[in-house]
Amino acid sequence: GAVVSQHPSRVICKSGTSVKIECRSLDFQATTMFWYRQFPKQSLMLMATSNEGSKATYEQGVEKDKFLINHASLTLSTLTVTSAHPEDSSFYICSARDLGHHYEQYFGPGTRLTVT
Amino acid sequence: SQQGEEDPQALSIQEGENATMNCSYKTSINNLQWYRQNSGRGLVHLILIRSNEREKHSGRLRVTLDTSKKSSSLLITASRAADTASYFCATGGNDMRFGAGTRLTVKP
């Protein structure tokens, strides 16, 4: 099946610094990728939809200047958490839609971000 | 915003018993998917059911979909301790929205 990877799997950073998370589709092309965040024991909340070659679409309440998304190629989207604060600590998960399977999304393993 | 709601929020059963989880959603869908998530881990895709399907099986999993009631159910038969996890439904379309999840505990 289709594989999506995320890097890093875990990251610890200090308040005020920026962190970049990569999401890659390994064996398929994805014009659209999605970014979710998940707090402990809660569900996944869609943050933004990332479209290759264009600006991301952010969900209501998600600060686009804080969570920078770049989808530079058909296999890579990045999420940069800028000026991170402890409340940004969360589990971030990306997913990618396979061009060949319009409605099916494949999820990455997630990135655990801890801001100290 | 979330799309669906799972019911129950938590379920505890003995090994060998069946587990049934329900999901309700709000808008029209193209498909509905079920995922499992072990604590602190990523999502594992279990099964996808399209809007024109009513029932689907995969191993010990059985999923039903009732588009008139905007609901779906996931049945795990002959549960095992390794089935302990959180289970989410997600509705597909232009983007995918998740329900709150059901935390299933299977006691050995």
Side-chain angles (χ1 to χ4, degrees), chain B residues 7-31:
Chain B
D7 168 47
Q9 292 186 351
L11 179 62
S12 181
I13 59 175
Q14 293 293 136
E15 212 166 26
E17 294 180 341
N18 296 340
T20 299
M21 290 160 270
N22 302 299
C23 166
S24 59
Y25 56 92
K26 299 173 184 174
T27 63
S28 297
I29 61 170
N30 295 310
N31 65 75

Side-chain angles (χ1 to χ4, degrees), chain A residues 39-58:
Chain A
F39 291 107
K41 297 185 179 180
Q42 294 190 25
S43 186
L44 284 78
M45 300 299 293
L46 180 66
M47 298 176 65
T49 301
S50 169
N51 300 297
E52 187 265 338
S54 65
K55 292 183 178 179
T57 303
Y58 290 82

Side-chain angles (χ1 to χ4, degrees), chain A residues 15 84-90 114-116:
Chain A
S15 287
H85 291 281
E87 57 264 31
D88 297 325
S89 298
S90 189
T114 303
V115 184
T116 60

Side-chain angles (χ1 to χ4, degrees), chain A residues 36 38 43 59 97 104 107, chain B residues 35 37 93-94 96-97 99:
Chain A
Y36 298 82
Q38 183 181 34
S43 186
E59 293 298 300
R97 178 183 291 151
E104 296 184 20
F107 285 80
Chain B
Y35 291 84
Q37 184 183 36
N94 287 329
M96 188 173 292
R97 311 265 174 171

Side-chain angles (χ1 to χ4, degrees), chain A residues 37 47 58 63-69 79-80 92:
Chain A
R37 69 185 297 181
M47 298 176 65
Y58 290 82
E63 298 176 59
K64 62 180 181 180
D65 294 329
K66 181 167 183 62
F67 298 100
L68 300 179
I69 292 172
L79 168 68
T80 301
Y92 291 88

Side-chain angles (χ1 to χ4, degrees), chain B residues 6-8 11 13-14 16-23 32-36 46-49 54-65 71-80 83 87-89 102 104 106:
Chain B
E6 279 92 345
D7 168 47
L11 179 62
I13 59 175
Q14 293 293 136
E17 294 180 341
N18 296 340
T20 299
M21 290 160 270
N22 302 299
C23 166
L32 186 143
Q33 302 184 41
W34 284 91
Y35 291 84
R36 70 174 272 166
L46 295 177
I47 198 165
L48 178 151
I49 185 167
R54 292 295 169 260
E55 186 171 313
K56 205 162 184 180
H57 296 254
S58 177
R60 293 185 295 115
L61 305 180
R62 173 176 169 256
V63 168
T64 63
L65 178 64
S71 68
S72 173
S73 68
L74 170 67
L75 168 68
I76 302 175
T77 60
S79 64
R80 305 167 182 168
D83 294 329
Y87 291 83
F88 297 94
C89 70
T102 293
L104 173 66
V106 181

